[in-house]
Amino acid sequence: MTGRLFTKQRQRAIAEVIARDGHASVDALCQLFDVSPATIRRDLDELDTQGVLIRTHGGAMRISQAMPELPVLQRGSDQSEAKRRIGKAAAALVPEGATVFIASGTTTLEVARALASRSNLTVITNALNVACLLADAPGITLVICGGVLRQSELSLLGHLTNYALSELRTDMVFIGAHAVSIEQGLSADNLAEVMTDRAILDMGVQRVLVADHSKFGKFATARVAPLSAVHTVITDGELDATLVEQLHEHGMEVIVA
């Protein structure tokens, strides 16, 4: 019992160190707590399972509260090269004749851009920027779901949108996320958008998350869905290898663009 108490005390202290410093290595924690690497690894694995921190190669890092998102027109330049690569990798998954849904966001916009020159596709969207990009694409049949405009995202949401989505089915859904973590899944900072995002996920046979590395290891106010709600994750090469391994362990295909 005493040993178990000491274990819990040490784990709380480890969590405090990582919350304060943002990350820590196994070696540094061994020196700090005067225990073996095997003991620290067990502590980190348990804390990772509890959702307290994120296990990384050689240590652990803090799970961060995601900052509120800037309007979509202001964040288009963030991780822009990574988003272009992700968009191209996502478009490469779409077969001829497919019907796909493209949700709102800057990374999903790059999926639309990569599909704009394709032919014999049907694209459904609730994003005005996606609709504008594809409006004059001759090979794409464009379907726009109506609803209430969220101006900062140029997205349509609410009861009308959700009803339209419930009447539709697609071969593939491409969706982004404000924050992604192994334990918390996909989360967002806008409560009104959560139900629409869930309806979007429900309509796809294959559900693809497109998100650069900066979205991972974070959580936001409203939980959208567990990671099991998506089949494939497309991200960039800067995502920590341990997180990639954890995504594989949760049964997801991971494509690094």
Side-chain angles (χ1 to χ4, degrees):
M1 182 70 177
T2 301
R4 184 62 179 167
L5 179 62
F6 288 157
T7 297
K8 288 298 183 185
Q9 289 173 335
R10 185 179 61 250
Q11 289 177 356
R12 281 197 295 270
I14 290 171
E16 290 171 0
V17 168
I18 292 174
R20 182 192 68 211
D21 298 341
H23 60 87
S25 68
V26 170
D27 290 342
L29 292 171
C30 286
Q31 293 179 17
L32 184 61
F33 294 100
D34 193 25
V35 293
S36 70
T39 297
I40 290 295
R41 291 190 187 98
R42 284 195 298 270
D43 288 339
L44 295 179
D45 288 342
E46 185 167 340
L47 290 168
D48 178 86
T49 300
Q50 295 171 11
V52 174
L53 48 76
I54 298 172
R55 192 76 164 85
T56 64
H57 180 70
M61 62 185 289
R62 176 175 58 206
I63 295 178
S64 303
Q65 174 81 40
M67 296 294 289
E69 274 193 312
L70 293 171
V72 66
L73 294 177
Q74 293 182 30
R75 65 177 195 271
S77 60
D78 295 344
Q79 306 292 336
S80 57
E81 181 54 37
K83 289 175 181 177
R84 278 193 289 271
R85 294 197 306 270
I86 292 169
K88 289 180 180 178
L93 298 179
V94 179
E96 184 179 355
T99 296
V100 303
F101 188 96
I102 301 178
S104 63
T106 52
T107 309
T108 48
L109 182 65
E110 292 303 322
V111 180
R113 197 184 311 280
L115 289 173
S117 61
R118 296 277 298 275
S119 59
N120 193 25
L121 294 179
T122 297
V123 174
I124 306 170
T125 188
N126 68 325
L128 296 187
N129 55 351
V130 170
C132 288
L133 177 66
L134 298 178
D136 60 353
I140 291 178
T141 300
L142 181 63
V143 180
I144 305 170
C145 296
V148 178
L149 177 65
R150 183 185 175 197
Q151 292 178 321
S152 64
E153 278 298 294
L154 296 177
S155 61
L156 297 163
L157 51 85
H159 172 72
L160 293 174
T161 311
N162 298 350
Y163 178 77
L165 295 173
S166 72
E167 296 293 308
L168 299 168
R169 292 293 179 269
T170 63
D171 299 304
M172 306 181 78
V173 160
F174 293 100
I175 192 168
H178 179 39
V180 185
S181 78
I182 299 298
E183 294 299 324
Q184 303 298 327
L186 283 60
S187 55
D189 65 350
N190 184 277
L191 295 173
E193 201 161 39
V194 169
M195 297 308 294
T196 298
D197 284 344
R198 289 177 181 173
I200 289 169
L201 288 167
D202 284 345
M203 68 187 298
V205 174
Q206 183 178 359
R207 300 182 289 274
V208 182
L209 172 66
V210 289
D212 69 76
H213 72 279
S214 68
K215 302 297 180 69
F216 288 82
K218 298 178 181 179
F219 65 92
T221 306
R223 188 167 183 264
V224 175
L227 276 179
S228 58
V230 299
H231 305 111
T232 303
V233 175
I234 306 180
T235 187
D236 64 278
E238 292 190 48
L239 184 63
D240 188 276
T242 302
L243 278 175
V244 174
E245 182 179 341
Q246 289 176 331
L247 291 169
H248 281 304
E249 289 172 355
H250 280 72
M252 275 161 283
E253 178 188 16
V254 181
I255 298 172
V256 178

